[in-house]
Amino acid sequence: MFVTDQHSLEFWIRLRGRLATAFDEGRARLAEYRNKVLPATVNDAVLMRSRAASARTDALTLLTDLANLRLLMLSLDGQLAYASHSVNLPFLESQILCLRDAIDIYRSSVCGLPQRQTGEDDLTDYVRQYEALRNAGNGDFTANERLRLRDQCVSLRVLGREDGAAYEDQCRNFETDLDHLATSVQHLKATTLVAIDVPDNSVKALEGFGVRVVAKTPLGLPDASAGTADAVTPAGEELVPVAPPAVGDAVPADVQA
């Protein structure tokens, strides 16, 4: 079993995204080999056999590398989930999602609307004028004016600025809370340090992304290269508890007992 140096959660989360991209790209390349054929004739039989054998080796090597990469991703997912729960990140991120949804609901429904009262005032004015003309005789002007007023149509808004004022204030409060939560989450991701246990057959895959990996010290033996916890974790930063064994790890004998 091997272990990495300590890096921030933010580092590992970004690396996880790079691993996923590399896996998808490798799987697409591997799919091309499935039905790949090389035309050969008696004139170039030796050359084409050599090229086919080389391509076959490349395909099977890529297959093994992808399997090891996927195992690494699984191991990393489990250990990052454990580290994130240790500092309460999932709950904080769920609060952020909740606030964003609430802000979006308010903004898209009752915020930023025109006034509702304008249409209601116009309708009230038309009704007042019409009532005043009902007993004003039947002259041409009066009849035409009554007809004009009857033809007036006003759009009455169901929701308007008057209804959204309180929600706009709530939106501003939510946005302030959201900024504070986002800052807290970013701080935790940047300052929480994690060392990842790496399965033996995934060491090469992780080193390919520039991460230093060293052999893990057996249980019960001190690590001569390791200092105190303060030497590993900068002041003010949080050291995440040791995560459960990665996928493929053997369970210690004392735990099994």
Side-chain angles (χ1 to χ4, degrees):
M1 177 54 66
F2 293 80
V3 66
T4 69
D5 293 333
Q6 287 184 346
H7 296 286
S8 67
L9 269 177
E10 183 177 24
F11 170 87
W12 290 118
I13 291 171
R14 290 179 178 176
L15 180 62
R16 178 60 177 80
R18 292 172 58 198
L19 295 178
T21 299
F23 180 79
D24 290 340
E25 292 174 350
R27 186 162 56 178
R29 293 199 309 273
L30 184 62
E32 295 175 358
Y33 284 105
R34 180 176 178 84
N35 297 313
K36 185 174 184 178
V37 295
L38 299 177
T41 67
V42 294
N43 294 323
D44 57 8
V46 175
L47 174 62
M48 298 312 296
R49 283 196 181 105
S50 175
R51 289 183 178 177
S54 177
R56 186 179 308 112
T57 299
D58 291 343
L60 296 178
T61 299
L62 178 58
L63 174 61
T64 300
D65 290 344
L66 285 176
N68 292 335
L69 178 58
R70 191 61 186 87
L71 178 63
L72 173 62
M73 292 163 62
L74 174 63
S75 177
L76 185 59
D77 286 344
Q79 295 179 75
L80 289 185
Y82 181 87
S84 296
H85 278 285
S86 297
V87 293
N88 211 29
L89 266 180
F91 179 65
L92 293 177
E93 290 176 334
S94 68
Q95 285 184 300
I96 288 177
L97 291 176
C98 178
L99 286 175
R100 285 176 177 168
D101 286 343
I103 291 171
D104 181 66
I105 290 173
Y106 289 164
R107 293 290 184 203
S108 62
S109 59
V110 294
C111 295
L113 294 173
Q115 285 188 341
R116 168 172 49 78
Q117 191 62 39
T118 301
E120 295 179 356
D121 290 344
D122 289 343
L123 182 60
T124 299
D125 185 55
Y126 291 147
V127 170
R128 180 186 56 79
Q129 294 180 52
Y130 184 78
E131 290 295 330
L133 292 174
R134 290 185 67 178
N135 299 317
N138 294 318
D140 290 342
F141 174 79
T142 301
N144 290 335
E145 188 64 12
R146 283 199 299 262
L147 181 62
R148 183 187 70 83
L149 290 171
R150 281 198 301 267
D151 290 340
Q152 295 298 318
C153 182
V154 175
S155 297
L156 293 179
R157 297 192 63 88
V158 175
L159 297 172
R161 185 181 304 170
E162 301 87 340
D163 307 294
Y167 296 99
E168 289 181 352
D169 291 339
Q170 188 63 62
C171 270
R172 285 188 285 271
N173 293 335
F174 282 166
E175 287 168 345
T176 299
D177 294 340
L178 182 61
D179 289 340
H180 291 160
L181 280 172
T183 300
S184 298
V185 166
Q186 186 58 39
H187 176 74
L188 284 174
K189 288 181 178 180
T191 59
T192 302
L193 301 181
V194 184
I196 298 297
D197 289 338
V198 185
D200 296 2
N201 52 359
S202 297
V203 170
K204 182 180 177 181
L206 189 54
E207 288 180 334
F209 286 85
V211 179
R212 193 173 82 96
V213 181
V214 298
K216 191 172 184 180
T217 304
L219 292 177
L221 296 180
D223 186 350
S225 63
T228 63
D230 291 339
V232 176
T233 307
E237 297 183 350
E238 183 171 354
L239 178 61
V240 173
V242 177
V247 174
D249 289 6
V251 179
D254 57 344
V255 175
Q256 293 178 342

